[in-house]
Amino acid sequence: MNEIIVLGGGSLGLLLAGRLKASGCDCKLWTRTRVQAESLDRHGLTIQNESGEREERVEIQADPIDSAVTDEQGIVLLAVKQTALTPTLLARLAIAVPIGGTLVLLQNGIGHRELIEQVLPGRKLITAITTEAALRIDTTTVRHTGKGEILLEDETSHRLQSSALKRLLKRAGFSVFLSKQLEAAILRKLLVNAVINPLTAILRIRNGELIETPARLDAMRNLFRETFGLLSVRGLPGDEEELWNAVKRVCAATSGNESSMLQDIRARRETEIDSINGAIIRMAASQGRTAPWNEAVTALVKAVH
Ligand code: KPL
């Protein structure tokens, strides 16, 4: 039996750990601070439904990452942003997760897998993507603001781990799929995040408000066009019009949500701008091109912070 651990007490971490625990899974949470682990031990973890009217409370074992450790069978879901993958955290993870252990990478953007491969050699890495939406209300409470999907990389050598995790996540109520084409899904999610996140953060609006006026749609279309062009050279499959409609559909489907970047700005946390639009700017440079729209939104997100 694999031990399931969620690293990160942010919105996604609390949601995953809370739902897994509520479904009977023997799941633990590793937090970055001792204070959060103590309040989870004291108050339990509360999951609210979309409107916040109904809530469910679970008891969960929470340990600060500083004193955490698992064995080779452990499956650790890294539910922290790329910005949290600091040398200190990675050094702690190298102690907490032995060679042979499994790490599931749930970060937005690109570039984190290469970093983890380098500093945590010998661990089984499963890249994952999720479109679940959640909002952290406080250190022990999360609201599930939108139902999405979880895609887990289907790699033959880690199939036992990904299938076990898929089964547990499904039992916890998530829609989970194993995918051999994760690279395409990663680039598609990067496109969505590169367009919606910085614009909603700069304008301080909900996702649905981005498609409400022609001027906002115009800015969105320009940023989309530039990003789509660069990502297609990198291997993003799909037709421009089809993907443009898909980005607008995400705004409509998550219309009441604040993007994670806007949530970070409001909470005065570091944003993921460098791993999303920054990654696009670096991709442009590697193609011998520039990315003026991505450069502008990157500068503005940093300026409004
Ligand atoms: O992934 C998201 C995010 O906020 O990071 C979207 C899809 C934009 C939903 O808010």
Side-chain angles (χ1 to χ4, degrees), residues 217-275:
L217 272 166
D218 242 21
M220 203 179 149
R221 180 88 208 207
N222 283 314
L223 180 57
F224 166 85
R225 193 173 290 126
E226 177 181 288
T227 311
F228 168 79
L230 293 158
L231 287 174
S232 13
V233 173
R234 170 74 190 252
L236 171 70
D239 157 81
E240 179 169 342
E241 216 43 42
E242 178 235 317
L243 285 168
W244 169 238
N245 288 328
V247 174
K248 285 191 293 181
R249 272 201 307 276
V250 173
C251 287
T254 61
S255 61
N257 291 2
E258 290 197 337
S259 71
S260 53
M261 200 170 280
L262 178 53
Q263 289 180 38
D264 285 341
I265 285 194
R266 289 204 197 282
R268 306 217 130 269
R269 285 187 297 257
E270 198 181 340
T271 71
E272 293 183 293
I273 194 77
D274 284 327
S275 26

Side-chain angles (χ1 to χ4, degrees), residues 132-188:
E132 291 293 343
L135 177 68
R136 190 173 95 156
I137 305 294
D138 59 38
T139 51
T140 63
T141 310
V142 64
R143 184 174 298 164
H144 195 180
T145 49
K147 190 149 172 41
E149 288 178 352
I150 300 176
L151 292 185
L152 296 174
E153 178 188 18
D154 186 8
E155 215 207 275
T156 325
S157 51
H158 312 337
R159 176 123 350 110
L160 269 182
Q161 288 76 12
S162 39
S163 301
L165 184 60
K166 177 182 169 190
R167 194 168 16 85
L168 293 170
L169 287 168
K170 273 192 149 217
R171 203 177 61 177
F174 294 105
S175 305
V176 194
F177 304 91
L178 295 186
S179 165
K180 287 195 190 305
Q181 270 110 41
L182 213 70
E183 179 66 14
I186 290 171
L187 296 178
R188 204 177 157 107

